[in-house]
Amino acid sequence: MSKKRIAPSLLAADFANLQRDIEMVNKSEADWFHIDVMDGVFVPNISFGMPVIEAIAKHAKKTLDVHLMIVDPDRYIADFAALGTDILTVHYEACTHLHRSLQAIKAAGMKAGVALNPHTPVSLLEDCIEDIDLVCLMSVNPGFGGQSFIENTYNKVKALKALITRKGAPTLIEIDGGVTDKNASELVLAGADVLVAGSYVFKSPDPTETILALSKQVNS
Ligand code: DX5
Ligand code: ZN
Protein backbone atom coordinates (compact mmCIF):
# COMPACT_ATOMS: atom_id res chain seq x y z
CA MET A 1 0.00 0.00 0.00
CA SER A 2 1.28 3.48 -0.80
CA LYS A 3 2.49 5.71 2.00
CA LYS A 4 -0.15 7.80 3.74
CA ARG A 5 1.04 11.38 3.75
CA ILE A 6 1.01 13.96 6.52
CA ALA A 7 0.64 17.60 5.49
CA PRO A 8 1.09 20.09 8.35
CA SER A 9 -0.94 23.26 7.76
CA LEU A 10 1.18 26.37 8.24
CA LEU A 11 -1.97 28.30 9.18
CA ALA A 12 -1.36 27.05 12.72
CA ALA A 13 2.36 27.91 12.72
CA ASP A 14 3.82 30.82 14.70
CA PHE A 15 3.90 33.57 12.07
CA ALA A 16 6.51 35.45 14.08
CA ASN A 17 8.74 32.38 13.80
CA LEU A 18 7.72 31.13 10.40
CA GLN A 19 11.20 30.16 9.24
CA ARG A 20 11.75 28.13 12.42
CA ASP A 21 8.46 26.28 11.90
CA ILE A 22 9.19 25.67 8.21
CA GLU A 23 12.60 24.19 9.10
CA MET A 24 10.87 21.98 11.69
CA VAL A 25 8.61 20.59 8.95
CA ASN A 26 11.59 20.23 6.57
CA LYS A 27 13.42 18.06 9.10
CA SER A 28 10.35 16.11 10.24
CA GLU A 29 8.60 13.02 8.88
CA ALA A 30 5.99 15.28 7.22
CA ASP A 31 5.46 14.74 3.51
CA TRP A 32 3.93 18.01 2.30
CA PHE A 33 3.49 21.64 3.31
CA HIS A 34 -0.21 22.59 3.33
CA ILE A 35 -0.66 26.31 2.67
CA ASP A 36 -4.09 27.87 3.26
CA VAL A 37 -4.87 30.96 1.23
CA MET A 38 -8.00 32.86 2.35
CA ASP A 39 -9.36 36.02 0.76
CA GLY A 40 -11.97 37.21 3.27
CA VAL A 41 -14.66 36.78 0.58
CA PHE A 42 -15.00 33.06 -0.14
CA VAL A 43 -14.33 32.47 3.56
CA PRO A 44 -14.79 34.91 6.44
CA ASN A 45 -11.08 35.19 7.18
CA ILE A 46 -7.85 36.41 5.55
CA SER A 47 -4.72 34.29 6.05
CA PHE A 48 -1.70 35.58 4.12
CA GLY A 49 -0.91 36.89 0.67
CA MET A 50 1.71 36.52 -2.02
CA PRO A 51 4.75 38.09 -0.29
CA VAL A 52 4.36 35.71 2.65
CA ILE A 53 3.72 32.70 0.42
CA GLU A 54 6.83 33.55 -1.62
CA ALA A 55 8.86 33.65 1.59
CA ILE A 56 7.44 30.27 2.63
CA ALA A 57 8.22 28.76 -0.78
CA LYS A 58 11.83 29.94 -0.54
CA HIS A 59 12.47 27.87 2.58
CA ALA A 60 10.07 24.92 2.23
CA LYS A 61 11.85 21.85 0.85
CA LYS A 62 8.88 19.50 0.48
CA THR A 63 5.84 19.31 -1.81
CA LEU A 64 3.91 22.59 -1.74
CA ASP A 65 0.21 21.81 -1.41
CA VAL A 66 -1.66 25.10 -1.81
CA HIS A 67 -5.34 25.27 -0.81
CA LEU A 68 -7.06 28.30 -2.33
CA MET A 69 -10.10 29.45 -0.38
CA ILE A 70 -10.67 32.38 -2.71
CA VAL A 71 -13.17 33.48 -5.32
CA ASP A 72 -12.12 33.46 -8.97
CA PRO A 73 -8.94 31.43 -8.39
CA ASP A 74 -8.10 31.35 -12.12
CA ARG A 75 -6.62 34.85 -11.75
CA TYR A 76 -3.73 33.51 -9.65
CA ILE A 77 -2.83 30.20 -11.35
CA ALA A 78 0.25 31.63 -13.09
CA ASP A 79 1.49 33.28 -9.87
CA PHE A 80 1.28 30.05 -7.89
CA ALA A 81 3.02 28.11 -10.65
CA ALA A 82 5.83 30.70 -10.70
CA LEU A 83 6.56 30.32 -7.01
CA GLY A 84 6.94 26.54 -7.25
CA THR A 85 3.54 25.20 -6.19
CA ASP A 86 3.29 21.45 -6.79
CA ILE A 87 -0.43 20.95 -6.16
CA LEU A 88 -2.94 23.76 -6.56
CA THR A 89 -6.40 23.13 -5.09
CA VAL A 90 -9.43 25.23 -5.92
CA HIS A 91 -12.87 25.03 -4.31
CA TYR A 92 -15.69 23.39 -6.25
CA GLU A 93 -18.00 26.10 -4.87
CA ALA A 94 -15.77 28.90 -6.23
CA CYS A 95 -15.44 27.63 -9.81
CA THR A 96 -18.21 28.14 -12.35
CA HIS A 97 -16.08 26.44 -15.02
CA LEU A 98 -14.28 23.86 -12.93
CA HIS A 99 -13.10 21.77 -15.87
CA ARG A 100 -11.48 24.83 -17.44
CA SER A 101 -9.77 25.73 -14.15
CA LEU A 102 -8.38 22.21 -13.82
CA GLN A 103 -6.99 22.28 -17.35
CA ALA A 104 -5.40 25.69 -16.71
CA ILE A 105 -3.71 24.43 -13.53
CA LYS A 106 -2.27 21.43 -15.38
CA ALA A 107 -1.22 23.54 -18.36
CA ALA A 108 0.76 25.67 -15.88
CA GLY A 109 2.66 22.53 -14.82
CA MET A 110 0.98 21.77 -11.50
CA LYS A 111 -1.19 18.96 -10.19
CA ALA A 112 -4.85 19.97 -9.93
CA GLY A 113 -6.89 19.63 -6.76
CA VAL A 114 -10.56 20.26 -5.96
CA ALA A 115 -11.79 20.98 -2.43
CA LEU A 116 -15.37 20.24 -1.35
CA ASN A 117 -17.12 22.04 1.49
CA PRO A 118 -18.80 19.79 4.07
CA HIS A 119 -22.22 20.24 2.41
CA THR A 120 -21.07 19.49 -1.14
CA PRO A 121 -21.68 15.87 -2.19
CA VAL A 122 -18.83 13.93 -3.80
CA SER A 123 -21.24 12.73 -6.51
CA LEU A 124 -20.86 16.18 -8.13
CA LEU A 125 -17.38 15.08 -9.22
CA GLU A 126 -18.74 12.13 -11.22
CA ASP A 127 -17.99 13.75 -14.59
CA CYS A 128 -14.56 15.18 -13.85
CA ILE A 129 -12.92 12.86 -11.33
CA GLU A 130 -10.51 11.51 -13.96
CA ASP A 131 -9.18 15.05 -14.44
CA ILE A 132 -8.54 15.62 -10.73
CA ASP A 133 -5.20 14.69 -9.10
CA LEU A 134 -6.42 15.34 -5.56
CA VAL A 135 -9.78 15.86 -3.86
CA CYS A 136 -9.59 17.76 -0.58
CA LEU A 137 -12.58 16.86 1.57
CA MET A 138 -13.21 19.64 4.05
CA SER A 139 -13.94 18.08 7.43
CA VAL A 140 -14.69 21.52 8.91
CA ASN A 141 -16.21 24.62 7.34
CA PRO A 142 -13.23 26.35 5.73
CA GLY A 143 -11.93 29.62 7.11
CA PHE A 144 -10.35 28.81 10.45
CA GLY A 145 -7.98 26.36 12.07
CA GLY A 146 -8.75 24.62 15.34
CA GLN A 147 -12.36 23.57 14.64
CA SER A 148 -13.94 20.20 15.47
CA PHE A 149 -14.00 17.39 12.94
CA ILE A 150 -17.36 16.75 11.23
CA GLU A 151 -18.19 13.05 11.61
CA ASN A 152 -20.06 12.74 8.29
CA THR A 153 -16.64 13.03 6.61
CA TYR A 154 -16.15 9.26 6.99
CA ASN A 155 -19.18 8.65 4.72
CA LYS A 156 -17.82 11.12 2.18
CA VAL A 157 -14.39 9.46 2.11
CA LYS A 158 -16.02 6.08 1.43
CA ALA A 159 -18.26 7.50 -1.32
CA LEU A 160 -15.31 9.27 -2.93
CA LYS A 161 -13.12 6.17 -2.73
CA ALA A 162 -15.87 4.16 -4.43
CA LEU A 163 -16.19 6.76 -7.21
CA ILE A 164 -12.40 6.83 -7.77
CA THR A 165 -12.23 3.03 -7.88
CA ARG A 166 -15.22 2.73 -10.21
CA LYS A 167 -13.72 5.24 -12.66
CA GLY A 168 -10.15 3.93 -12.32
CA ALA A 169 -9.04 7.50 -11.55
CA PRO A 170 -5.57 8.27 -10.11
CA THR A 171 -7.02 10.78 -7.62
CA LEU A 172 -5.66 11.12 -4.06
CA ILE A 173 -8.06 11.79 -1.17
CA GLU A 174 -6.99 14.51 1.28
CA ILE A 175 -8.78 15.33 4.55
CA ASP A 176 -8.59 18.87 5.88
CA GLY A 177 -9.85 20.10 9.24
CA GLY A 178 -9.84 18.81 12.80
CA VAL A 179 -7.55 15.88 12.06
CA THR A 180 -6.00 14.28 15.16
CA ASP A 181 -4.80 10.88 16.36
CA LYS A 182 -8.45 10.20 17.29
CA ASN A 183 -9.77 10.16 13.70
CA ALA A 184 -6.64 9.51 11.59
CA SER A 185 -6.82 5.70 11.59
CA GLU A 186 -10.51 5.56 10.66
CA LEU A 187 -9.99 8.13 7.89
CA VAL A 188 -7.18 6.08 6.37
CA LEU A 189 -9.24 2.91 6.71
CA ALA A 190 -12.07 4.64 4.81
CA GLY A 191 -9.68 5.53 1.96
CA ALA A 192 -7.83 8.75 2.83
CA ASP A 193 -4.33 9.21 1.36
CA VAL A 194 -3.29 12.59 2.79
CA LEU A 195 -4.06 14.04 6.22
CA VAL A 196 -3.76 17.78 6.76
CA ALA A 197 -3.12 18.71 10.38
CA GLY A 198 -2.77 22.25 11.69
CA SER A 199 -3.53 22.80 15.36
CA TYR A 200 -2.92 19.17 16.27
CA VAL A 201 0.69 19.50 15.10
CA PHE A 202 1.64 23.09 15.89
CA LYS A 203 -0.15 23.46 19.22
CA SER A 204 1.36 20.24 20.55
CA PRO A 205 4.31 20.37 22.95
CA ASP A 206 6.64 18.65 20.43
CA PRO A 207 5.44 19.13 16.82
CA THR A 208 8.24 16.99 15.33
CA GLU A 209 7.28 14.09 17.58
CA THR A 210 3.56 14.60 16.87
CA ILE A 211 4.18 14.39 13.11
CA LEU A 212 6.30 11.26 13.54
CA ALA A 213 3.68 9.57 15.72
CA LEU A 214 0.83 10.45 13.34
CA SER A 215 2.79 9.17 10.35
CA LYS A 216 3.61 5.92 12.16
CA GLN A 217 -0.01 5.51 13.27
CA VAL A 218 -1.39 5.68 9.72
CA ASN A 219 1.41 3.71 8.08
CA SER A 220 1.60 0.73 10.41
C1 DX5 B 1 -9.35 25.41 7.24
C2 DX5 B 1 -8.02 25.10 6.54
C3 DX5 B 1 -7.30 24.00 7.17
C4 DX5 B 1 -6.84 24.31 8.57
C5 DX5 B 1 -6.77 23.02 9.33
O1 DX5 B 1 -10.05 26.35 6.53
O2 DX5 B 1 -8.27 24.74 5.19
O3 DX5 B 1 -6.20 23.57 6.38
O4 DX5 B 1 -5.60 24.96 8.61
O5 DX5 B 1 -6.49 23.34 10.65
P1 DX5 B 1 -6.84 22.34 11.83
O6 DX5 B 1 -6.05 21.09 11.60
O7 DX5 B 1 -6.42 23.11 13.03
O8 DX5 B 1 -8.33 22.07 11.77
ZN1 ZN C 1 -6.57 23.74 4.04
Side-chain angles (χ1 to χ4, degrees):
M1 210 162 61
S2 59
K3 191 189 179 205
K4 304 301 175 187
R5 299 172 177 101
I6 306 298
S9 165
L10 286 183
L11 189 65
D14 178 354
F15 290 168
N17 288 287
L18 206 41
Q19 189 175 352
R20 180 201 66 191
D21 284 0
I22 292 167
E23 291 304 342
M24 182 282 291
V25 175
N26 280 338
K27 293 193 190 100
S28 77
E29 277 301 306
D31 301 277
W32 295 357
F33 281 88
H34 185 82
I35 298 170
D36 289 303
V37 184
M38 305 178 181
D39 66 355
V41 179
F42 180 70
V43 289
N45 193 13
I46 298 173
S47 54
F48 35 66
M50 280 309 183
V52 174
I53 301 164
E54 274 168 27
I56 293 170
K58 212 170 88 188
H59 296 283
K61 295 196 176 74
K62 297 181 175 179
T63 294
L64 285 188
D65 170 36
V66 175
H67 176 193
L68 296 183
M69 284 160 276
I70 66 174
V71 296
D72 204 359
D74 294 20
R75 288 180 298 162
Y76 298 102
I77 290 173
D79 291 341
F80 281 100
L83 61 79
T85 299
D86 297 287
I87 305 159
L88 189 64
T89 295
V90 295
H91 262 265
Y92 179 89
E93 303 82 6
C95 295
T96 310
H97 300 286
L98 180 64
H99 187 269
R100 181 181 288 151
S101 301
L102 296 173
Q103 301 310 321
I105 292 169
K106 289 181 187 179
M110 298 174 285
K111 299 245 186 236
V114 176
L116 298 184
N117 278 339
H119 74 277
T120 305
V122 301
S123 58
L124 289 170
L125 300 179
E126 168 93 28
D127 290 309
C128 57
I129 192 73
E130 285 137 306
D131 297 307
I132 304 174
D133 296 301
L134 173 136
V135 173
C136 174
L137 290 179
M138 292 309 302
S139 38
V140 298
N141 284 297
F144 303 93
Q147 303 181 81
S148 322
F149 180 82
I150 296 171
E151 296 283 322
N152 185 50
T153 308
Y154 298 122
N155 296 327
K156 292 183 74 172
V157 180
K158 286 178 204 154
L160 179 57
K161 186 71 187 174
L163 174 62
I164 289 168
T165 305
R166 178 159 59 81
K167 296 272 189 176
T171 320
L172 294 177
I173 301 176
E174 177 177 70
I175 312 300
D176 188 7
V179 170
T180 70
D181 60 340
K182 303 286 182 289
N183 48 34
S185 299
E186 198 171 339
L187 285 168
V188 163
L189 203 64
D193 302 292
V194 186
L195 300 178
V196 174
S199 315
Y200 179 66
V201 165
F202 286 100
K203 308 295 181 217
S204 71
D206 185 345
T208 306
E209 183 53 40
T210 302
I211 293 168
L212 176 64
L214 196 58
S215 179
K216 275 190 184 160
Q217 181 185 335
V218 295
N219 285 297
S220 60

